[in-house]
Amino acid sequence: SRTPRAPRAANHHTAAGLDPAARTIAGSETITWRNLTSRAAADLQFHLYWNAWKDTRSTFRCERALSDSREDRGRRPDEWAYIDIASIAVGGGDRTASKRFIAPDNDTPDDQKVMSVTLEQPVGPGGTAAIPITWTAHVPRAFPRTGATGPSYVLPLRCPTIGIRPG
């Protein structure tokens, strides 16, 4: 017999297009999020995975430097990755102005991997929110598991990935 899956907290519907000349991906998506916790969520946190490769000051890159990673040597500014959130709304209200970066794992002020957005109205237990987002991402020169080298691209199926959790 199969073990039942855990309930899904989020569904993503994404449309994106690649500009190979600029090595960018422009996209929009709507995340439908359900609060599976027992408390109201007054803010949401978005894990912007590609910002781990934004520069040498991200937590991920600082940790890699401790192991003497040679991946960063000689990397030009246009060869890093990033994801910029142009707009975000929650429950019909524009929340772009409330976005800010936090470092829940440490106090790295330059890390932009986790974006927090304050909600106008908390989402109660069992409640849902529709979250339309527009973004632009820059595809890096190849890193392990992602990036571009010449005309070849290695990208995750849902790229760039944006994870979500209550704050």
Side-chain angles (χ1 to χ4, degrees), residues 102-120:
I102 61 173
D105 299 327
N106 56 33
D107 293 325
T108 305
D110 295 320
D111 194 84
Q112 295 187 355
K113 222 171 40 252
V114 181
M115 179 184 75
S116 180
V117 174
T118 304
L119 305 180
E120 286 181 343

Side-chain angles (χ1 to χ4, degrees), residues 89-109:
V90 179
D94 183 4
R95 303 308 305 145
T96 308
S98 79
K99 70 181 184 177
R100 68 189 191 293
F101 292 104
I102 61 173
D105 299 327
N106 56 33
D107 293 325
T108 305

Side-chain angles (χ1 to χ4, degrees), residues 67-90:
S67 66
D68 191 34
S69 172
R70 298 185 192 328
E71 298 167 341
D72 298 345
R73 294 189 186 144
R75 192 172 290 269
R76 297 185 323 255
D78 66 331
E79 295 179 329
W80 292 94
Y82 63 79
I83 180 168
D84 284 329
I85 304 299
S87 68
I88 184 166
V90 179

Side-chain angles (χ1 to χ4, degrees), residues 5-160:
R5 288 183 168 192
R8 300 290 177 229
N11 289 311
H12 298 252
H13 298 281
T14 306
L18 174 67
D19 177 346
R23 277 201 350 240
T24 59
I25 302 169
S28 63
E29 70 182 275
T30 298
I31 302 171
T32 304
W33 177 76
R34 184 169 43 134
N35 184 352
L36 299 178
T37 72
S38 61
R39 66 183 203 287
D43 67 317
L44 295 176
Q45 296 174 2
F46 298 85
H47 194 145
L48 307 178
Y49 293 98
W50 271 25
N51 282 351
W53 297 289
K54 188 170 186 169
D55 53 35
T56 58
R57 296 181 315 272
S58 74
T59 299
F60 180 75
R61 297 315 305 166
C62 287
E63 290 170 353
R64 296 284 295 192
L66 293 174
S67 66
D68 191 34
S69 172
R70 298 185 192 328
E71 298 167 341
D72 298 345
R73 294 189 186 144
R75 192 172 290 269
R76 297 185 323 255
D78 66 331
E79 295 179 329
W80 292 94
Y82 63 79
I83 180 168
D84 284 329
I85 304 299
S87 68
I88 184 166
V90 179
D94 183 4
R95 303 308 305 145
T96 308
S98 79
K99 70 181 184 177
R100 68 189 191 293
F101 292 104
I102 61 173
D105 299 327
N106 56 33
D107 293 325
T108 305
D110 295 320
D111 194 84
Q112 295 187 355
K113 222 171 40 252
V114 181
M115 179 184 75
S116 180
V117 174
T118 304
L119 305 180
E120 286 181 343
Q121 297 292 322
V123 177
T128 60
I131 308 163
I133 303 172
T134 58
W135 48 264
T136 301
H138 187 264
V139 180
R141 186 181 84 202
F143 279 106
R145 293 181 271 167
T146 197
T149 302
S152 301
Y153 286 78
V154 176
L155 303 172
L157 287 175
R158 233 179 30 92
C159 176

